[in-house]
Amino acid sequence: MAAAGGLPAESADEQAQGGPWSALSGLTTRGRSFLAAGVAAAICAFVLGQEDLLRVGLLLAVLPLVCTVVLYRTRYRVAGSRRLAPGRVPAGSESRVQLRIDNVSRLPTGLLMLQDRVPYVLGPRPRFVLDRVEAGGKREVSYRVRSDLRGRYPLGPLQLRLTDPFGMCELTRAFSAYDTLTVIPRTEPLPPVRLSGEAAGYGDGRHRSLALAGEDDVIPRGYRHGDDLRRVHWRSTARYGELMVRREEQPQRARCTVLLDTRDIAYVGAGPDSAFEWAVSGAASTLVHMLERGFSVRLLTDTGTSVPGEGSAGFAGSGQDPSDAAGLMMDTLAVVDHSDGGGLSRAYDVLRGGNEGLLVGFFGDLDEEQAAVAAKMRRRSGAAVAFVLDSEQWTYGAQERGPVEERLRLLREAGWTALAVRPGAALSELWRLAGQERMNAKAAPDGVAGTAGGWS
């Protein structure tokens, strides 16, 4: 039996290692006591010349050895499987692990102790005692795991401890397969904030079209095998001397780039309540929200790498189910860690191509040089929103705002909608506040009225 999303079934008797002598290490305290008592009784019988005592000693010594040999040679054909429900959970949430043991042999099993290996961050190692499993029978047990730290955690291999009816010997036989639990960052729902801009495709609609209105504006291409003859553009055919066809309407989804600053020097502290974990959680919430709103989304880090996705330039979501695209990015954020880089220049190089649509950045501490680099990123995007975390306040509770406010001013002058993130801040409230500030800036006579782009 193979469980969907779990380890394939395999026989535990195939995993026994070592020879018969290694099975002696499985003698229990009772088995060792019987063996020692038998040897002592045999010695005393030899010294005293008591044949009856010798028989008793031999019985005591042979019994645990026979149990060990029988248990070692017993070939229980036991198949095991594991099912995770679900296999991908947010940090702080529980996942149920269901174990199933099938006795596929013609003989009933003895007493079994089932044990599954789990990392210590997921909780104590689960152990279950199973009574005799009849031939062809099955047993199902389950346990829960939970982690406040995101990551990928292996579960397994599954182990069975076999014992004889007299409790003289215990042997451990293990499966080889294991499964993986993915703990993704926490996400929170964001309010539907809309910012309209002057550029088509990022305002009231999330889709824009490259279809051309008239015959004079059409951009033809060469005929390809299978093209509909009704799309032949005769004027261009006569001009170029070869068969030309009109381009089809090409809808293009609005784009959103989520930039996550992972520089080690930009954050202070660690743990589930640190500033870096807030930034990762904020990036995850933004990705899910924008995918649900119909955007093509890309996750970009300061190292210049982006999550591979369907479409060009690493954008995911076009022609792809939003849940699949979100799962791909969540798996990446589950294992993202600090980078050794000291600047944002590589991310800026990726953004230099332009046509990025909305840019949402989650930054750690910015010095003057890196704030200037971040400010230049605004020129390559439509709307731009920055959440700047003050790691000193997150770690030490300082109330000074000087350096952070100066960095925010530089970003705002470049066209960013920039907000400081204080300890305990909720992203949903900051998201709403960013929308209000953006609308106020566009309505003001001296605001950033020419900023193109929008976000929802």
Side-chain angles (χ1 to χ4, degrees), residues 150-234:
R150 54 185 176 81
R152 294 174 62 87
Y153 301 101
L155 300 179
L158 193 62
Q159 293 181 336
L160 286 176
R161 295 182 64 183
L162 311 177
T163 183
D164 64 281
F166 299 100
M168 298 289 180
C169 182
E170 289 184 353
L171 297 181
T172 300
R173 295 177 180 175
F175 298 91
S176 60
Y178 65 93
D179 213 332
T180 301
L181 175 69
T182 302
V183 181
I184 62 176
R186 297 185 180 93
T187 60
E188 59 177 300
L190 302 180
V193 178
R194 177 174 296 279
L195 293 172
S196 60
E198 298 176 357
Y202 300 100
D204 295 332
R206 293 189 296 271
H207 299 266
R208 56 181 176 179
S209 175
L210 299 181
L212 300 167
E215 289 287 327
D216 295 336
D217 297 327
V218 72
I219 301 178
R221 63 168 175 83
Y223 175 82
R224 299 171 184 169
H225 178 71
D227 285 338
D228 191 346
L229 292 178
R230 291 175 295 182
R231 292 176 44 225
V232 174
H233 191 254
W234 298 109

Side-chain angles (χ1 to χ4, degrees), residues 185-190 258 278-292 330 333 362 427-428 431:
R186 297 185 180 93
T187 60
E188 59 177 300
L190 302 180
V258 178
W278 192 99
V280 174
S281 177
S285 301
T286 304
L287 290 170
V288 173
H289 176 75
M290 300 309 294
L291 284 170
E292 291 176 348
M330 292 299 105
L333 289 176
F362 292 86
L427 179 61
S428 57
W431 192 264

Side-chain angles (χ1 to χ4, degrees), residues 29-59:
T29 302
R30 179 184 300 177
R32 293 190 180 96
S33 300
F34 267 67
L35 183 60
V39 172
I43 294 175
C44 292
F46 179 78
V47 173
L48 300 177
Q50 298 290 331
E51 294 184 359
D52 293 336
L53 183 59
L54 179 61
R55 297 188 185 96
V56 173
L58 291 178
L59 176 64

Side-chain angles (χ1 to χ4, degrees), residues 15 28 37 96 119 131 133 157-158 187 190 200 216 251 253 295 308 318 332 347 359 381 390 423 428 443:
Q15 306 301 324
T28 61
R96 177 182 290 273
D131 293 332
V133 182
L158 193 62
T187 60
L190 302 180
D216 295 336
R253 303 178 69 181
F295 279 70
S318 58
T332 302
L359 176 60
S381 64
D390 187 351
S428 57

